[in-house]
Amino acid sequence: MTVRWWREVGLRHAGGLVAVVFAVVPVLYVVSAAFNPLGTVVSTDVIPTQFSLVHFRSLFSDPARPFPRWLLNTVIVCAAVTVVQVLCSALAAYAFSRFRFKGRRGGLLTLLLIQMFPQFLAVIALFTMITELGDAVPALGLNTIAGYSLVLMGGALAQVWLIKGYFDTIPRQLDEAAVVDGASHATVFFKILLPLARPILAVTGLLAFVGVIGEFLLASIFLTDTRSKTLAVGLYGIIESDRSNNLGVFAAGALMTALPVVLLFQYLQRYIVGGLTSGAVKD
Amino acid sequence: MIRILCLGIAVGTAAALTPSLAGGGHYVVLTVAWVVVAVLLVTYGTRRAVTAKYLIPGTLLLVVFTVAPVLATVQMSTTNYGDGTRTTKQETVERILANSVVQAPDSPIFDLTVAGSGDGDFVFLLVDRATGQAYEGNRDGLRELDPPVTAPPGYTILTPKQVNDAAAQLREFAVPTEGGAIRQRGLREAYEGRAMLRYDGNAITDTQTHTRYTVQRQGDREYFVDANGERLSDQSWRAGVGLDNYRKAFTDERILGGFLRIFGWTVAFAAGSVALTFVVGLGLAVMLNDPRVRGQKWYRSVLLLPYAIPGFISILVWSGFFNQEFGLINNLTGLDVDWLGDPVWAKAALLLLNLWLGFPYMFLVATGALQAIPGELKEAATIDGAGGFTAFRRITFPLLLVAVAPILVASFAFNFNNFNVIELLTHGGPFTPDNPDAGATDILISYTVRLAFGAGGAQFGFAAAIATLLFVITGVLAAAQFRATRSLEEVH
Amino acid sequence: MRYRLLALITATALLTTTACSGDKKDETAATTAPSTAPSSAGGPAREDADLVIWTSEAASRAVTPIAQKFGQDNNITVAVQVIAADLAANAITANEAGNGPDILTLPNDFLGGALQNGTVKPLSLAASDLTAYEKSAVASVSRNGQVWALPYGMENLVLYRNTKAVPQAPATVEDLVSTGQAAVKKGTVKRALSLPVGQEGDAYHMHPFFTSAGGSLFGMDASGQYDTTKIGIGTPESIAAAKKIAALGEKGSKVLSRSIDGSNAIAQFTAGNAAYLISGPWALADIRKSKVPYDITPIPPFKGGKPAAPFLGVQAFWMLSNAKNPAFAEEFVTKTMNTPEAMTAMYEQDPRPPVRDDVLAAVSAKDADMGKLAAGAKNATLLPDFPFMAGVWPPLGQAYATIVGGADPTSTMQKTGKTIESAVKAK
C-alpha cells in the first residue's frame, strides 16, 4: 500500500465507511430492539446484548395483531397499486412522448400540479366518497383493501414524468421502422418500447412500492378493522398505543417489513443506478 | 379480442350493478359507473382516438379519486362544516328530540318480546317486572293480556337479530301511555319514557318548563337559543358561508402571523433537504465511482438500507434518538444538545433525519449519472489540460445537473409537502405558549392539518379553504421551478 | 365487425346474468335466514358484523372475550376493533358518515365533543338505575338530565414508589425530592422522579403539582362545576405555582426534565432507574411485570400547600347515535356490561379501580393496589370535557415544558393565559 494509494483510494474508502456507519447505526438499533427480550426504550441499545425471538413469536401468535394478515394485505395493496400506477403512467407517457396533440403541454403541466397537491388534504371528501361507494358496492367501502387501493390509485399518473423522460431518449427511428413494417401503435408500445424501458419501469415501480408500503395517514382513516389493516397502520398502532413497551414488537415487525423491500432493492439495484438518468445524459 | 372482452366485462359489471344501485338509491355511484363505461366504450370501441386510448386509464382514476375529491374540498371551503356542524338542521333537531326522552320516575320496567307483521308493523308483548301483569302494546295503546302470552294473529315473534335489523322502523314505534310512551331498551326490555322537548317547525319547547328555544345565529353558525341567549345544545348544523373562510384566512392575525414564517421555513426545509442529500449523495458517488475502489457493489448494497426501509419506521425510530438525556445521538457523541426543544436544533434534527432518509437515493442517482457520462468527454477535458477538479466542475457537473434536474425538482416537491417526517419527528414543535398553532418546524401542510383538526376542534370548511390556498401556492411554485430548470424544453 | 359486436353483447349478457343471480342469492339470505348468521368462528371479523366495538388496545383485551360471549349467546358476529390513533375524532367522523361503530370506549372527556356533534345517544337508564355505581363516575358522564355512557373504570394519577430505593412514603413534595435525591446519591437509582413532561409538555401529569402549589385551571361555581369565565392560568396564583414547578425543573433541582416523556416515563421506573413515578393505573401491569418492589400512595402536596389534585378520568362505554345495530348495542351496554361479572372481567384484563361499588369492594379485598389507586382520587377534580379543551391542553402543556426547560414563569404563564382565554372565548 503506497502513500499514493492511500491518498487516492484509501481516502475514498474512508469516506465510504463513514457513510456506511451513518447508514447502518439506526438499522442496527432496530435489529437490536427486535431481538432484545425486554423490548423497551430504556433497555435497548445499538449493539444487541441479548438474543431472543420472543417478539417475532408474538407477531405470529397474538390474535389482536394478526401480522401475517397485515403482511398479506400490504402485499396485495402494494402489488395492485404499483402495477396500476406503472402501467397507467407508462401508457400516458407513451402518448405524451410519441403523439403530438392539442393540450399536450397543458396536460403535462396539469398533471404535475395535481400530483403536487397532497391527497391527504382532501381526506374528508375522500372519506365521504368511499363511504358512499361502500354503501353501493360493499366490496369497495371502508375497511376493504380494494377501496383503499382505489383511493391510492388516484395517483395513477404519478410516474408519467419520469417514464416520459426515458421514452424521449429511446430513438424514434425504432418505432417508426416498426410502423413501416406494419406494426400497430399497440404493438410498438408493448413489444418495442416497454421492453426497452425496463430500467425505468423497475425504478418507478420501486418508487411507487416504497410510497405505498409506508402510507399510513390515509390507511389509519380508511382501515380501522384489525383484519383489514396494512403493515404501516398496524405497526403504527402498536408503537403508538404504548411506545415504551412495544418497541421490541414494533422493531420485529419493522424488520419483517423492511426485509423484503431491502431484498427487492438489492435485486433491482442496477436498474436504479441506470434507470433514472442514463437516458437523459446520453441525450 | 382482449379489448372486446375487457369492454364486455366493464359493461357487464356496470349492468350487473345497476339494479342494486338504482334500488338502493345510489344514483351518484350509478351515474359515475355508467359515465366511466361510456368513456371506455367511446375510446376503445373505435379505431380512432389513438391518443386517448393511452391517456384514459390513468386519467379516469385521477379524475375520480384525486380531482373529484379536490373539487369537493374546494366546494367544502364555502361551508362551515366542522365540529358542531356535521349534521343537517333536520338531523340536528331529530337528535335533540330523541335524546330528550327520559324514563318517567317510578315507572314500571317490562320484559319485552317484539312481534312483527312483516310489513313494518309491530306489537310489544310486555310483562311488568314488578307485578307480573302481561300486556299487549301497539300504536294505539296498552291492553292487558292473560297468560299464556302469544303473538296476535298475523304477527310472529322476532328473533334478536330481526329486532336489531328492524331498528330503523322500531325507532318510530312506541306504545302511547298516559305518562308518555313505552319504548324498547335493548332486545328484551321496555320502559316508560317521556320526551321532554317538542318541535313545532320553528322552535323547540321544553314540555316541563315551557321554555321556547328559537333559532339564532352565534358566530358562524345557528343554534337553538332561549330568551336569555342560553343554548339548548351545542349542536348546530351545516350551512353555506360563502367566502367567509377565505376572509378569515386573510384577516386572522394568528394565522397570518405564522404563515409567512412557516412559508419561509417550508421552502428552506425542502430546498435544504434536496441540497444536503444531493451534495452528500454526489460526493459519495464521486468518491466511490472510481475503478480503483473495490467493493463498490458492497457499498451500494449497504448504503441503500436507509432508503429501502419504509419511511415511517425509520422516522419513529429516529424520534427516540434525539432525546436530550437518553437519546442515542447525545449518548454516542457525548453532546448535550436539546435537539427537539430548541427551534434551531429542531430544524437541524429534521434536516439530519431527512439526509439519512434521502442520501442513498441521491447517491444511486448520481452514480448512475456519472457512469452514463461518456468517458471520451472526461478524457478530452484532461487532454485539454484541465485538472481533475476543473474537469469535474466544467464538464461532468453541468452534464450531471442536466440529467438529475427533474429528480431534484421532484424531490423538492415531495419535501415541500413531507407531512410524515414533520408529524412523526417534531409534530411541528417546539411551540411557544403564545402560539400553540404554529411551531418552529411546521411546514405548510402540517400547519394546515393542525388548523383543520387541531386546537379548535375539526374545522373542515376552514381547513378546505386553507388547503385550496395551499394548492394554488404549490402549483405556482411548481410551475415557476419547471420554467427555471427549463426541463419543459422538450415539451415545446 | 359484426362478430365483434356479437362478442361484446354476449360477454355483457353473460356477466349481467351471473352477477344478477349472485345478487338475488344475497337478498334471500338477508331476508329469510336471519338466525343463520355467519358463524363467528373462523370467519373474518367484517366491518358489517352484527356488533362493532371500537376501543383502545389495552381495553380490547378485556372487551373481546365479553363481546365474543355476547355474540355466542345471541348467535351474532361481533367485531372488536382497535383504533390506532384519534379514536374520538375518527368515531365522530365515521358516525356521521354512517360507518361508525355501534359502541366505543373512551374516557368521560369525550362527552363535550360528542354532544356538540350529536355523536352519542343516552343510555335510556335513569341515574337511579345506576345506584350501584360510584356517584362521581356517573356524574362525569351525565348532562341535561341524561346519562350518556356506562362507566367502568376510574383513572387518576398516583405516586408509585420504588420501596427498595425509598422505604417510607413522602409526606410532601419536598420530602419526595430529598428522599429521591438521597437514593440517587446512594446509587440505588439514577433519578429521583419520573414524570412525563416531554418537549410539548403534559398538562395532565403536571396538574397535581400545579394545584398543590396554588394554581387552578378554572374557577368553581357554587355547585362544584367548572366556571369557565374564571380562567386560572395567568393569574398571580398560577405564576406562583409555576415558580415552584420551575424550581423542580432543569435549572432548579432537576427533578423534572423534558427528556422524560410519555414514551419512557414508565420504563424509567420499571427499569429501576427512578425512585418515584407519577402515573395512573395503566402503568400497573408493567410495574408488576418488572418485579420492581413498589408501593402506591396519593401524590403528596407541597409543604404548606394545597392538596395535590389529579384529574379524575372515567372510562366508559358509549353508544353511537348512528349505530347500525342499536338494539344489540343497547343490550350489550345496559345489560351485559351493566353487571358485576362483566365489570370484574374488565378489571381482570385491564386493572383499574372499578366504578361499581360492590365490584370495587370485592376487588380491593383481594388486590390492595385497587384501593390505593382509588385513594389517590380523594382530592381529584373531574377531567373537563368542554370541546374547547382541545385549544387549552396544548398551550398549557407547552407552558409547563417551557418552564421546566428554564423559561421565565411569569411571562410564560401570562402569555399562556391569553392564549387560553381566546380559545375559551372562541366557542
Side-chain angles (χ1 to χ4, degrees):
Chain A
M1 296 289 154
T2 59
V3 175
R4 192 189 146 130
W5 184 90
W6 275 110
R7 227 184 48 207
E8 291 188 2
V9 184
L11 277 181
R12 291 172 191 268
H13 278 296
L17 284 177
V18 169
V20 165
V21 169
F22 178 55
V24 159
V25 164
V27 182
L28 264 186
Y29 181 86
V30 179
V31 174
S32 157
F35 291 107
N36 181 334
L38 292 174
T40 65
V41 178
V42 176
S43 64
T44 300
D45 222 324
V46 180
I47 309 300
T49 46
Q50 284 158 298
F51 181 84
S52 149
L53 290 176
V54 59
H55 301 309
F56 291 90
R57 233 171 279 137
S58 106
L59 271 185
F60 288 95
S61 59
D62 188 343
R65 300 171 189 146
F67 184 81
R69 175 84 190 195
W70 294 348
L71 189 66
L72 180 71
N73 290 343
T74 307
V75 168
I76 295 172
V77 174
C78 281
V81 176
T82 305
V83 167
V84 167
Q85 199 178 92
V86 172
L87 185 68
C88 287
S89 291
L91 285 169
Y94 176 60
F96 281 117
S97 173
R98 289 303 194 260
F99 303 141
R100 292 291 173 268
F101 52 93
K102 229 175 127 191
R104 175 168 166 274
R105 187 181 142 74
L108 269 173
L109 260 179
T110 313
L111 263 187
L112 187 79
L113 296 194
I114 294 173
Q115 292 305 331
M116 284 192 74
F117 184 80
Q119 210 183 7
F120 179 58
L121 282 184
V123 63
I124 300 299
L126 273 170
F127 184 83
T128 319
M129 204 168 118
I130 292 296
T131 301
E132 215 157 288
L133 190 60
D135 285 346
V137 190
L140 300 177
L142 294 176
N143 277 319
T144 65
I145 289 297
Y148 173 61
S149 302
L150 270 181
V151 170
L152 296 188
M153 283 175 196
L157 295 181
Q159 314 290 353
V160 166
W161 275 84
L162 284 176
I163 301 181
K164 175 195 163 285
Y166 198 90
F167 281 171
D168 286 345
T169 68
I170 298 174
R172 268 163 177 280
Q173 292 88 319
L174 273 182
D175 27 316
E176 276 159 16
V179 172
V180 171
D181 287 350
S184 70
H185 55 88
T187 316
V188 170
F189 176 72
F190 285 107
K191 296 269 164 68
I192 298 178
L193 274 185
L194 275 196
L196 281 175
R198 243 183 325 203
I200 194 70
L201 295 183
V203 172
T204 50
L206 267 184
L207 288 176
F209 188 87
V210 167
V212 175
I213 203 172
E215 203 293 319
F216 76 96
L217 284 172
L218 292 172
S220 67
I221 292 161
F222 289 103
L223 307 173
T224 50
D225 186 348
T226 314
R227 294 187 62 86
S228 72
K229 283 178 182 171
T230 59
L231 281 173
V233 66
L235 288 178
Y236 182 69
I238 288 181
I239 190 91
E240 195 57 18
S241 66
D242 187 348
R243 267 190 192 225
S244 98
N245 277 313
N246 290 347
L247 182 69
V249 182
F250 172 78
L255 275 192
M256 304 274 304
T257 310
L259 196 67
V261 190
V262 170
L263 291 179
L264 196 64
F265 264 74
Q266 301 299 357
Y267 176 66
L268 295 173
Q269 211 199 92
R270 61 203 171 100
Y271 287 132
I272 311 176
V273 172
L276 281 168
T277 49
S278 61
V281 181
K282 273 182 212 140
D283 226 12
Chain B
M1 200 46 219
I2 296 172
R3 173 156 50 124
I4 304 291
L5 199 69
C6 290
L7 282 181
I9 290 174
V11 176
T13 314
L17 287 173
T18 301
S20 69
L21 288 185
H26 304 293
Y27 296 112
V28 179
V29 179
L30 185 66
T31 314
V32 172
W34 278 108
V35 168
V36 167
V37 169
V39 169
L40 289 177
L41 276 179
V42 168
T43 323
Y44 296 102
T46 68
R47 284 192 175 279
R48 263 164 287 153
V50 172
T51 308
K53 284 190 173 62
Y54 288 91
L55 292 176
I56 281 302
T59 310
L60 274 179
L61 283 169
L62 185 76
V63 166
V64 175
F65 292 104
T66 302
V67 177
V70 168
L71 291 182
T73 305
V74 174
Q75 194 256 329
M76 195 186 291
S77 72
T78 61
T79 70
N80 65 359
Y81 189 33
D83 267 345
T85 53
R86 293 173 187 251
T87 39
T88 62
K89 184 175 178 185
Q90 193 196 343
E91 285 168 328
T92 304
V93 171
E94 278 169 11
R95 288 201 195 161
I96 290 176
L97 294 188
N99 289 346
S100 79
V101 176
V102 295
Q103 189 174 333
D106 304 320
S107 60
I109 300 285
F110 304 93
D111 286 325
L112 165 70
T113 309
V114 182
S117 66
D119 57 4
D121 196 23
F122 301 97
V123 162
F124 278 1
L125 301 172
L126 303 158
V127 177
D128 187 319
R129 284 232 180 111
T131 63
Q133 173 64 51
Y135 298 91
E136 178 191 308
N138 58 26
R139 287 183 200 280
D140 300 323
L142 269 187
R143 185 170 72 85
E144 293 195 358
L145 278 186
D146 296 323
V149 177
T150 51
Y155 290 82
T156 50
I157 289 179
L158 302 186
T159 64
K161 181 105 171 69
Q162 285 169 323
V163 172
N164 184 63
D165 291 344
Q169 295 151 313
L170 276 168
R171 197 176 302 166
E172 310 294 318
F173 183 87
V175 180
T177 57
E178 276 171 37
I182 293 174
R183 292 162 206 270
Q184 163 204 11
R185 172 194 292 159
L187 298 170
R188 301 176 188 96
E189 192 172 280
Y191 68 103
E192 189 176 351
R194 195 183 290 161
M196 307 303 280
L197 299 174
R198 191 175 296 140
Y199 183 59
D200 60 13
N202 291 313
I204 294 180
T205 311
D206 188 321
T207 54
Q208 302 289 294
T209 62
H210 302 291
T211 314
R212 262 173 72 81
Y213 296 89
T214 52
V215 173
Q216 275 176 35
R217 174 170 278 276
Q218 292 187 350
D220 68 344
R221 52 189 67 177
E222 294 177 315
Y223 297 97
F224 285 102
V225 174
D226 72 4
N228 301 326
E230 283 289 311
R231 290 177 204 160
L232 170 65
S233 159
D234 282 340
Q235 197 179 352
S236 176
W237 46 89
R238 212 199 287 207
V241 294
L243 294 177
D244 277 5
N245 287 323
Y246 292 94
R247 213 165 290 143
K248 186 172 158 200
F250 282 112
T251 51
D252 189 326
E253 247 175 64
R254 200 188 55 150
I255 291 159
L256 265 187
F259 188 84
L260 282 180
R261 180 177 59 73
I262 287 169
F263 181 69
W265 162 241
T266 309
V267 174
F269 167 72
S273 297
V274 174
L276 264 180
T277 51
F278 181 60
V279 167
V280 171
L282 177 65
L284 273 174
V286 170
M287 259 197 283
L288 297 179
N289 187 40
D290 185 299
R292 288 167 299 177
V293 175
R294 297 228 190 122
Q296 288 194 31
K297 221 182 151 202
W298 186 85
Y299 274 118
R300 246 181 263 150
S301 302
V302 177
L303 291 180
L304 209 82
L305 283 176
Y307 190 69
I309 293 176
F312 78 99
I313 292 177
S314 320
I315 303 170
L316 282 170
V317 169
W318 270 84
S319 68
F321 291 176
F322 287 110
N323 186 303
Q324 187 176 2
E325 200 176 327
F326 314 110
L328 195 67
I329 298 179
N330 281 357
N331 284 356
L332 282 184
T333 57
L335 295 171
D336 187 32
V337 172
D338 185 7
W339 285 104
L340 300 180
D342 181 274
V344 178
W345 282 116
K347 288 177 177 140
L350 269 175
L351 287 175
L352 181 67
L353 169 57
N354 235 4
L355 172 65
W356 188 84
L357 291 169
F359 87 88
Y361 179 57
M362 290 296 183
F363 165 64
L364 293 179
V365 166
T367 304
L370 281 177
Q371 289 179 350
I373 292 173
E376 312 94 73
L377 275 178
K378 282 183 250 176
E379 278 163 32
T382 327
I383 291 165
D384 283 352
F389 183 70
T390 321
F392 175 78
R393 193 170 56 91
R394 303 254 299 265
I395 312 281
T396 315
F397 189 67
L399 271 176
L400 192 118
L401 213 53
V402 173
V404 300
I407 289 158
L408 296 186
V409 172
S411 170
F412 179 89
F414 172 77
N415 280 307
F416 194 84
N417 284 320
N418 195 343
F419 180 74
N420 274 12
V421 70
I422 303 286
E423 182 59 21
L424 294 181
L425 184 68
T426 64
H427 306 283
F431 295 88
T432 54
D434 46 333
N435 195 347
D437 286 330
T441 57
D442 258 325
I443 59 175
L444 283 174
I445 183 167
S446 62
Y447 182 53
T448 308
V449 170
R450 188 165 314 104
L451 286 178
F453 307 103
Q459 310 177 61
F460 301 133
F462 180 59
I466 302 267
T468 307
L469 293 176
L470 188 57
F471 182 45
V472 173
I473 293 171
T474 322
V476 170
L477 259 179
Q481 274 184 63
F482 263 79
R483 196 160 290 257
T485 55
R486 291 194 302 169
S487 54
L488 285 176
E489 238 171 9
E490 224 293 311
V491 184
H492 284 294
Chain C
M1 190 65 212
R2 196 187 292 159
Y3 168 72
R4 272 193 192 185
L5 201 68
L6 198 70
L8 179 65
I9 293 168
T10 324
T12 308
L14 244 161
L15 265 151
T16 315
T17 44
T18 48
C20 272
S21 60
D23 250 21
K24 250 179 229 135
K25 223 180 287 156
D26 282 355
E27 263 165 47
T28 42
T31 46
T32 57
S35 54
T36 57
S39 79
S40 53
R46 297 157 309 152
E47 67 87 37
D48 60 341
D50 299 319
L51 182 66
V52 180
I53 304 174
W54 280 10
T55 180
S56 65
E57 184 171 300
S60 78
R61 293 177 194 275
V63 175
T64 306
I66 302 174
Q68 270 165 0
K69 174 145 191 316
F70 179 79
Q72 279 159 14
D73 291 350
N74 290 288
N75 197 16
I76 59 169
T77 54
V78 178
V80 179
Q81 301 178 356
V82 175
I83 306 301
D86 281 338
L87 202 165
N90 279 332
I92 291 174
T93 302
N95 180 63
E96 230 33 79
N99 254 309
D102 301 308
I103 298 170
L104 55 81
T105 68
L106 272 174
N108 63 296
D109 66 337
F110 178 54
L111 181 59
L115 287 185
Q116 185 193 26
N117 288 302
T119 306
V120 291
K121 71 176 202 177
L123 275 190
S124 79
L125 293 173
S128 54
D129 293 327
L130 296 169
T131 42
Y133 290 78
E134 173 70 30
K135 252 195 218 122
S136 60
V138 175
S140 77
V141 288
S142 300
R143 189 73 41 88
N144 303 334
Q146 295 281 22
V147 184
W148 296 88
L150 183 74
Y152 72 84
M154 278 189 286
E155 45 192 36
N156 52 268
L157 295 175
V158 289
L159 183 71
Y160 291 94
R161 183 177 86 256
N162 182 333
T163 47
K164 201 177 95 196
V166 188
Q168 281 294 315
T172 62
V173 177
E174 287 78 2
D175 271 359
L176 184 159
V177 172
S178 62
T179 51
Q181 285 176 337
V184 174
K185 229 172 243 160
K186 254 187 1 200
T188 355
V189 289
K190 290 183 191 151
R191 64 179 314 118
L193 171 66
S194 181
L195 180 147
V197 178
Q199 293 295 354
E200 282 154 62
D202 189 328
Y204 177 84
H205 279 86
M206 196 63 85
H207 200 64
F209 282 175
F210 181 62
T211 48
S212 174
S216 69
L217 184 51
F218 299 114
M220 293 282 180
D221 66 14
S223 60
Q225 305 284 320
Y226 285 113
D227 180 352
T228 57
T229 58
K230 292 185 200 139
I231 294 166
I233 310 297
T235 59
E237 293 81 17
S238 74
I239 292 169
K243 283 180 180 156
K244 286 198 163 182
I245 290 171
L248 298 174
E250 292 170 21
K251 299 232 169 110
S253 58
K254 298 199 168 109
V255 170
L256 299 177
S257 159
R258 285 170 301 160
S259 293
I260 303 276
D261 58 28
S263 75
N264 57 25
I266 297 171
Q268 284 295 328
F269 187 80
T270 54
N273 289 351
Y276 294 101
L277 166 73
I278 289 188
S279 192
W282 52 86
L284 196 56
D286 287 355
I287 294 174
R288 284 176 174 170
K289 212 167 61 187
S290 74
K291 308 277 190 290
V292 169
Y294 70 96
D295 193 17
I296 300 171
T297 48
I299 298 169
F302 281 100
K303 197 174 166 195
K306 296 190 172 162
F311 284 116
L312 176 67
V314 179
Q315 290 283 354
F317 288 92
W318 307 76
M319 299 190 292
L320 281 91
S321 58
N322 260 348
K324 284 202 185 109
N325 308 295
F328 285 136
E330 208 162 55
E331 184 76 11
F332 183 76
V333 172
T334 62
K335 293 276 152 222
T336 306
M337 286 315 305
N338 185 13
T339 55
E341 295 76 32
M343 289 290 167
T344 312
M346 288 299 294
Y347 149 77
E348 280 162 357
Q349 293 297 321
D350 183 18
R352 59 190 71 210
V355 293
R356 268 188 83 108
D357 295 329
D358 47 353
V359 180
L360 177 61
V363 159
S364 305
K366 281 186 295 184
D367 179 351
D369 287 345
M370 288 304 121
K372 292 176 184 172
L373 283 168
K378 195 176 145 250
N379 297 313
T381 49
L382 198 61
L383 191 59
D385 65 21
F386 312 105
F388 59 69
M389 288 309 289
V392 173
W393 296 123
L396 186 56
Q398 195 61 57
Y400 291 141
T402 319
I403 289 167
V404 166
D408 172 37
T410 310
S411 65
T412 306
M413 272 320 208
Q414 282 166 343
K415 279 187 216 159
T416 310
K418 286 204 188 91
T419 312
I420 289 177
E421 206 173 306
S422 66
V424 173
K425 262 194 204 140
K427 288 288 154 175

